[in-house]
Amino acid sequence: MEIRLLTERDFDANIELSQYAFLYTLSEQQKEERRERFGEEKVWGVFEDHELCAKLLLIPLEVYIHGRPVRMGGIAGVATWPEKRRRGMVSRLLRRALEEMRKDGQLVSYLHPFSISFYRKYGWELFTDNKNYTIPVDKLPACQNVPGRVVREVRDLDILQSVYDRAIRRYNGPLVRSRSWWEQRVMNGIPYTAVYYNEAGEAEGYVLYAIEERKWITEEIFWLNETARQGLWDFIVNHDSKLKEVQVKLPVDDPLPLLLPDPMIKQEIEPYFMGRIVDAAAFIEAYPFAPSAESEGDTRFALQIEDRDAPWNDGRWIWTVSTDGSARLEPFLVSGDPELPANPALAALPTVSVTIGILTAFLLGYRRPSELQRFGLLSASEAAAARLDALIPARTPYLPDYF
């Protein structure tokens, strides 16, 4: 069994496996378009006797963590021929991907799971949900006729990205979008666009949408302030004569029901993407913890991480968070290790024991440490969990993209 990067000579085998696994068929033109981009992608495969048996795509990206860009490895297109399944091939691919991401300085990894329980076994955990609304047209908010104007069919990526880049930083975990990502992923197949401009002519919001069978389908919507939000909703409501309902996907902290005259509408919380810390020591060092008063001094924990698929994370650490919000992980010097001297003073540190997936979940803001401690997903005293709550800034995770 061999694991290696696919090359151009493997293109047809890669496409054949993808079409079978994901139940689609590409035209010859689509195949040629993908062939042209194939050299830009990192596709890892498992081979037996020179035959491609399983594969995954590893996408180099960046995401915002508390407003700071962090390198991320996106995993997509995981597929195995059915006769090759249950032989550990995907397990080996995922472990190899973790090694490669660590080498490339990608501190976290995202994927959209076909099965949450499957990827939990390898350290990925849910880190973001979506709130999906279905609003009958008779329950839409009343028009407010706010100042400014909405212009349809604005496809200038500089304008759209200027709004996105400012609006998205209020969330944890969204992509830092490149120009090519906008062109190939965000805008590909979008039927309609509209941009809200304030009275000074500055873009402060946009919506990407479709209208199908009298349903408004919001692909993406962002605004910078309440006036822009209301201006976009006025635009949506002005379609009421041709609609029976409006569908919109928003972050889980969205307050729309408080703003509707009749909030008895369908609301669905949808578990969405999973994340995983790739390199715990490097991630902790890059993470902006909340500063504390100098009189409180540095905070230290004895941290136990369980991570069987990334052995560089697995084990015991001294976790120090300084008063300025910087932090570091250092190997825990324990008794019984012939290479490391004992340090009895460390026994007095508060202990935190956690899987790599749960560590990811609370550092990305999906759940607070004290909540995880109550449900037994984080082993720590109430005091230690409360201290972690104070050190980790609260910010809602949100990822509007898909890959």
Side-chain angles (χ1 to χ4, degrees):
M1 188 180 295
E2 177 190 15
I3 297 178
R4 63 168 174 82
L5 278 172
L6 273 62
T7 65
E8 290 184 8
R9 69 175 182 273
D10 304 307
F11 175 79
D12 291 332
N14 174 62
I15 290 296
E16 185 180 2
L17 176 52
S18 291
Q19 290 184 131
Y20 189 92
F22 303 115
L23 303 176
Y24 65 82
T25 301
L26 297 176
S27 67
E28 289 304 315
Q29 180 179 345
Q30 290 171 323
K31 286 182 183 179
E32 289 310 307
E33 290 172 354
R34 293 203 180 190
R35 190 186 298 274
E36 291 177 6
R37 301 197 307 267
F38 188 65
E40 304 169 2
E41 300 177 339
K42 283 189 174 182
V43 184
W44 288 88
V46 177
F47 292 81
E48 280 188 339
D49 300 324
H50 307 292
E51 176 190 1
L52 178 63
C53 302
K55 54 103 177 184
L56 65 74
L57 172 63
L58 187 54
I59 311 170
L61 297 166
E62 282 191 314
V63 296
Y64 290 114
I65 305 294
H66 292 292
R68 298 182 181 182
V70 171
R71 297 181 71 181
M72 185 272 286
I75 290 180
V78 181
T80 312
W81 287 109
E83 65 272 19
K84 304 293 184 180
R85 291 184 62 198
R86 296 180 175 86
R87 293 175 53 190
M89 293 183 177
V90 170
S91 301
R92 296 187 185 193
L93 277 175
L94 291 173
R95 293 185 186 113
R96 181 59 175 270
L98 288 168
E99 293 171 359
E100 294 299 321
M101 286 186 279
R102 188 186 185 213
K103 289 179 185 176
D104 289 343
Q106 294 162 352
L107 304 186
V108 288
S109 175
Y110 290 0
L111 58 80
H112 186 266
F114 79 94
S115 166
I116 291 171
S117 61
F118 177 84
Y119 285 107
R120 272 182 174 156
K121 294 185 299 184
Y122 301 100
W124 278 265
E125 184 52 79
L126 286 169
F127 82 92
T128 183
D129 300 329
N130 291 324
K131 183 185 282 190
N132 300 328
Y133 297 108
T134 302
I135 310 171
V137 70
D138 61 347
K139 294 191 176 184
L140 291 173
C143 279
Q144 300 297 314
N145 296 315
V146 297
R149 63 194 179 102
V150 172
V151 178
R152 288 184 300 104
E153 287 308 284
V154 177
R155 293 180 180 266
D156 186 324
L157 296 186
D158 290 335
I159 293 173
L160 299 177
Q161 184 159 358
S162 73
V163 175
Y164 172 85
D165 286 347
R166 287 177 287 167
I168 203 64
R169 289 173 184 257
R170 75 185 74 162
Y171 302 109
N172 239 9
L175 293 188
V176 180
R177 289 177 174 172
S178 66
R179 185 83 176 189
S180 61
W181 191 268
W182 273 97
E183 293 170 347
Q184 298 172 17
R185 301 277 189 156
V186 181
M187 299 301 293
N188 186 24
I190 294 294
Y192 304 112
T193 74
V195 172
Y196 169 82
Y197 293 88
N198 64 19
E199 291 179 287
E202 300 162 330
E204 293 186 335
Y206 70 81
V207 60
L208 313 179
Y209 64 101
I211 300 175
E212 300 173 1
E213 299 178 349
R214 301 191 65 198
K215 297 178 183 179
W216 171 289
I217 302 168
T218 309
E219 302 292 348
E220 181 168 296
I221 184 168
F222 284 105
W223 56 82
L224 301 182
N225 52 55
E226 176 57 20
T227 304
R229 186 197 70 83
Q230 188 60 64
L232 291 173
W233 272 102
D234 282 356
F235 175 72
I236 295 171
V237 172
N238 283 333
H239 288 73
D240 57 355
S241 63
K242 61 189 296 183
L243 300 176
K244 64 179 182 180
E245 68 181 40
V246 169
Q247 298 175 6
V248 60
K249 180 181 296 185
L250 293 168
V252 291
D253 64 349
D254 177 78
L256 181 62
L258 296 173
L259 306 173
L260 293 177
D262 182 359
M264 295 295 289
I265 60 173
K266 181 180 177 182
Q267 303 176 51
E268 177 187 24
I269 302 298
E270 171 198 15
Y272 192 43
F273 257 69
M274 302 181 80
R276 185 200 207 284
I277 293 172
V278 173
D279 187 329
F283 184 84
I284 291 290
E285 186 174 339
Y287 191 92
F289 290 90
S292 55
E294 289 189 10
S295 59
E296 296 180 9
D298 294 350
T299 301
R300 302 175 83 202
F301 303 95
L303 175 64
Q304 175 76 45
I305 301 176
E306 178 187 334
D307 190 351
R308 63 188 179 93
D309 295 296
W312 53 88
N313 295 328
D314 191 76
R316 305 182 75 191
W317 302 82
I318 305 166
W319 182 3
T320 303
V321 183
S322 300
T323 55
D324 64 359
S326 62
R328 65 185 183 275
L329 287 185
E330 301 167 286
F332 201 152
L333 309 186
V334 295
S335 304
D337 188 323
E339 298 181 3
L340 297 173
N343 190 338
L346 297 177
L349 293 180
T351 299
V352 175
S353 182
V354 70
T355 64
I356 193 66
I358 295 300
L359 182 67
T360 304
F362 71 71
L363 288 177
L364 291 186
Y366 188 63
R367 293 290 185 267
R368 301 302 288 169
S370 56
E371 179 184 11
L372 296 166
Q373 188 266 347
R374 286 198 303 273
F375 290 111
L377 295 172
L378 182 153
S379 178
S381 67
E382 289 187 14
R387 184 61 185 145
L388 283 171
D389 280 353
L391 290 170
I392 298 169
R395 190 175 295 210
T396 301
Y398 182 48
L399 181 67
D401 288 283
Y402 175 86
F403 54 82

